[in-house]
Amino acid sequence: MTALDSRIAVAVIGAGTMGAGIAQVAALAGHPVFLHDTRPGAAAQAIDGIRHGLRALVAKKRLDADQVESALNGLCAADALTDLGACGLIIEAIVERLDAKTALFGALESIVTTDCLLATNTSSIPVTAIGAGLRHPERLGGLHFFNPAPRMPLVEIVSGLDTSAETTRTLADTATAWGKTPVLTRSTPGFIVNRVARPFYAEGLRLLQEQALDPATLDHIMRTCGGFRMGPCELTDLIGQDINAAVSRSVWTAFYHAPRFEPSLLQQELVDGGRLGRKSGRGFHDYREGTPAPAPQLAPAQACPKMVSIHGDGPLARALASRLRAHEVAFDTAPAREDGCVAQAGDARLYLTDGRSATRRASDLNQPATLLLDLALDPETATCLPLAAARQCPESARQAAIGLLQAAGYEVAPIQDAPGMVVMRTVAMLINEAADTVHQGVCSAPDLDLAMRLGVNYPLGPLDWCDRIGARVIGTVLTHLRGSDGERYRPCVALQSAIHSGKSFHEA
Ligand code: NAI
């Protein structure tokens, strides 16, 4: 363990949202902490806020009073950079501009000693570019905390071209000593989390733009079927549509306009209209007082047909069978079918989406009564299943399918016939991005999954999710999506290798 000794002073520069949070974390870990900001009074004001917040946590018995008072005693505002000469670590959390950051680190180099480590909390500027003008760029690394820093456990430790292994190790060990979970990443656009999470927003926004469903239904599906903590509309409303759009645009620009990162016209329209989300009262949803929360579009009750059969023993068929049994609904079982049909309800045939639209699949199978189900994180416990019917599907078959799913205890969310549906399309793209990120040496497979679970609360790391679903299934979904919607959905080289080798991303 090479963590910075807690007796060594730490400075945090920039006393805004992130700087104040990071200063609090370092002070609670026992370091003397200096907080500096160019805005007069900002550092002292931030310290007042920290004091107030920490004492409130003591009152709620969430923190120890002695630890808090000792942290507060060690925390002070620094008026000038020249006060920071004795610090062993300086963390920059100032405005997100390369010129401001290089000027700051340039000035610090002539103030601090040669063994002082320098860290930036940037979320989008390459660490390599920030270090380029320094005399000793090997001691600069990224310490990318997530907001709110005191509560979010993840810290991305970012290495630029010149960052030394020793700097990376000390920053990672120090983050651990501060009670955080570090993951190592190379300085590439979006690092891990802000890159791999892009499809979560992009695919949802695209489905809205394609009129596949409305925002409330999208959020409901992602929570109750996909197992995500929040859906993309409510989450971007919380983050701020302007902030989320700016991150998407910066990743898209940094990847030279790769089609999979293309920003959303729909989101831009919200930004243009000042509908920034919770902070402005309206975004995808309306937060103004007296406005009821929007309801998802769910199918009204239908009768379960008399003739129901479940085919094979894949996860979806098993879940349907066990839930029908639990609801005392009679059904037949049959071996797995070559066409992949998981259930038959009267004339209706139900399949798990494979990236083709239901309409295309009905045509390929010459079976008009074709209906598709979406991927569920766990079909045994999911409370809602999205359903898409082929255009040529008779209404009676659609109702029969809804009746069967409702009899198994699911809410049914009928959506337009969008290829890949909602959860499958999003998860397939998350997996593809995750595979590509590891393939390009940005981070290890375990760190990638850890980062996505801790940084954005995903129920499973994308690579673990791929192991659960099977790389072949994901590859088929993406290949079909690519057929209908182009280059954006190209399965990456690493995913193709997982398909053809049958090996997990976690294996050599
Ligand atoms: P903020 O706007 O809340 O705070 C920035 C502070 O830096 C302000 O108080 C400002 O007066 C001060 N400042 C500006 N230039 C300065 C300089 N040259 N020297 C000293 N102080 C200066 O910004 P926020 O949100 O705290 O972000 C800070 C950094 O953290 C940015 O690089 C941002 O990209 C990054 N970040 C932000 C996250 C967020 O969710 N807000 C999450 C992770 C990283």
Side-chain angles (χ1 to χ4, degrees):
M1 182 87 166
T2 55
L4 202 68
D5 189 305
S6 65
R7 288 165 301 187
I8 295 176
V10 170
V12 179
I13 307 199
T17 313
M18 294 307 293
I22 296 167
Q24 174 176 322
V25 171
L28 279 177
H31 292 272
V33 176
F34 294 98
L35 189 54
H36 171 74
D37 198 292
T38 42
R39 211 160 25 97
Q45 200 185 342
I47 291 172
D48 277 348
I50 295 170
R51 183 177 302 112
H52 189 258
L54 286 180
R55 287 188 178 153
L57 289 173
V58 171
K60 287 185 195 160
K61 304 213 179 318
R62 296 230 218 110
L63 283 178
D64 174 71
D66 290 344
Q67 186 198 6
V68 162
E69 289 313 313
S70 141
L72 291 173
N73 284 336
L75 180 60
C76 68
D79 293 333
L81 289 184
T82 44
D83 296 343
L84 310 179
C87 290
L89 168 64
I90 300 202
I91 305 172
E92 166 277 311
I94 66 167
V95 61
E96 187 74 339
R97 269 193 4 239
L98 177 61
D99 60 338
K101 293 188 194 282
T102 48
L104 172 66
F105 284 116
L108 284 170
E109 266 203 321
S110 55
I111 294 168
V112 299
T113 58
T114 46
D115 53 1
C116 174
L117 288 181
L118 304 177
T120 171
N121 186 50
T122 182
S123 41
S124 65
I125 302 176
V127 171
T128 305
I130 298 174
L134 295 182
R135 270 180 278 137
H136 292 289
E138 68 282 355
R139 58 155 151 182
L140 173 81
L143 259 184
H144 185 222
F145 287 82
F146 288 72
N147 189 13
R151 283 221 306 274
M152 294 295 283
L154 187 72
V155 181
E156 290 179 330
I157 311 293
V158 189
S159 301
L161 266 185
D162 291 314
T163 308
S164 71
E166 196 186 343
T167 299
T168 302
R169 198 170 50 245
T170 306
L171 291 178
D173 289 346
T174 302
T176 305
W178 292 3
K180 299 294 178 189
T181 305
V183 288
L184 305 186
T185 167
R186 280 204 302 118
S187 180
T188 49
F191 310 139
I192 306 173
V193 173
N194 277 340
R195 169 181 179 172
V196 177
R198 285 343 307 149
F200 180 79
Y201 312 107
E203 295 309 316
L205 292 168
R206 201 162 164 112
L207 283 160
L208 293 177
Q209 200 164 314
E210 290 168 10
Q211 306 290 306
L213 74 181
D214 63 278
T217 308
L218 173 58
D219 286 344
H220 188 74
I221 288 172
M222 291 305 274
R223 275 190 272 106
T224 58
C225 177
F228 291 91
R229 193 80 63 89
M230 292 175 95
C233 299
E234 54 197 348
L235 182 54
T236 51
D237 273 354
L238 181 68
I239 295 168
Q241 297 300 337
D242 51 341
I243 305 280
N244 187 260
V247 177
S248 296
R249 186 167 287 277
S250 112
V251 172
W252 177 62
T253 308
F255 278 98
Y256 303 116
H257 298 182
R260 65 189 193 279
F261 293 124
E262 190 181 287
S264 159
L265 287 176
L266 203 66
Q267 187 170 45
Q268 189 54 45
E269 193 179 11
L270 288 181
V271 175
D272 291 344
R275 297 198 187 186
L276 305 182
R278 282 185 179 270
K279 64 185 172 188
S280 72
R282 264 194 302 177
F284 279 112
H285 303 303
D286 192 338
Y287 302 93
R288 290 170 301 179
E289 218 174 294
T291 316
Q297 302 285 319
L298 300 173
Q302 300 291 346
C304 183
K306 292 213 166 53
M307 299 288 293
V308 171
S309 55
I310 304 296
H311 304 290
D313 66 350
L316 187 51
R318 275 203 312 273
L320 280 171
S322 83
R323 290 176 63 139
L324 287 172
R325 250 179 240 117
H327 286 83
E328 298 181 352
V329 178
F331 64 95
D332 295 329
T333 53
R337 285 172 43 137
E338 213 166 280
D339 68 359
C341 178
V342 284
Q344 210 168 332
D347 291 340
R349 291 176 188 212
L350 286 81
Y351 302 81
L352 177 68
T353 176
D354 69 356
R356 281 177 288 178
S357 66
T359 302
R360 156 93 192 272
R361 202 141 166 199
S363 157
D364 289 351
L365 294 167
N366 196 21
Q367 171 56 253
T370 292
L371 296 115
L372 302 184
L373 295 169
D374 205 350
L375 174 74
L377 172 66
D378 178 1
E380 288 274 359
T381 55
T383 54
C384 174
L385 278 184
L387 180 75
R391 278 183 78 182
Q392 52 275 58
C393 179
E395 179 57 21
S396 58
R398 201 180 77 90
Q399 288 175 5
I402 292 170
L404 159 68
L405 298 172
Q406 289 174 336
Y410 293 107
E411 294 173 328
V412 180
I415 65 163
Q416 293 301 315
D417 186 19
M421 301 187 74
V422 182
V423 181
M424 181 67 97
R425 181 154 145 185
T426 304
V427 169
M429 287 296 275
L430 288 172
I431 290 171
N432 205 32
E433 198 56 47
D436 204 33
T437 302
V438 170
H439 180 60
Q440 291 177 1
V442 174
C443 61
S444 69
D447 270 7
L448 188 137
D449 275 352
L450 189 61
M452 300 314 287
R453 283 196 291 103
L454 297 185
V456 270
N457 286 317
Y458 287 179
L460 264 182
L463 300 174
D464 283 338
W465 216 332
C466 186
D467 282 347
R468 188 189 275 198
I469 303 166
R472 196 169 286 279
V473 172
I474 297 301
T476 303
V477 168
L478 291 173
T479 303
H480 283 141
L481 281 165
R482 186 186 187 190
S484 61
D485 220 352
E487 200 49 15
R488 175 185 179 101
Y489 296 101
R490 180 173 57 84
C492 72
V493 172
L495 183 66
Q496 294 180 40
S497 160
I499 294 167
H500 299 303
S501 65
K503 287 196 171 220
S504 155
F505 293 102
H506 295 291
E507 292 173 66

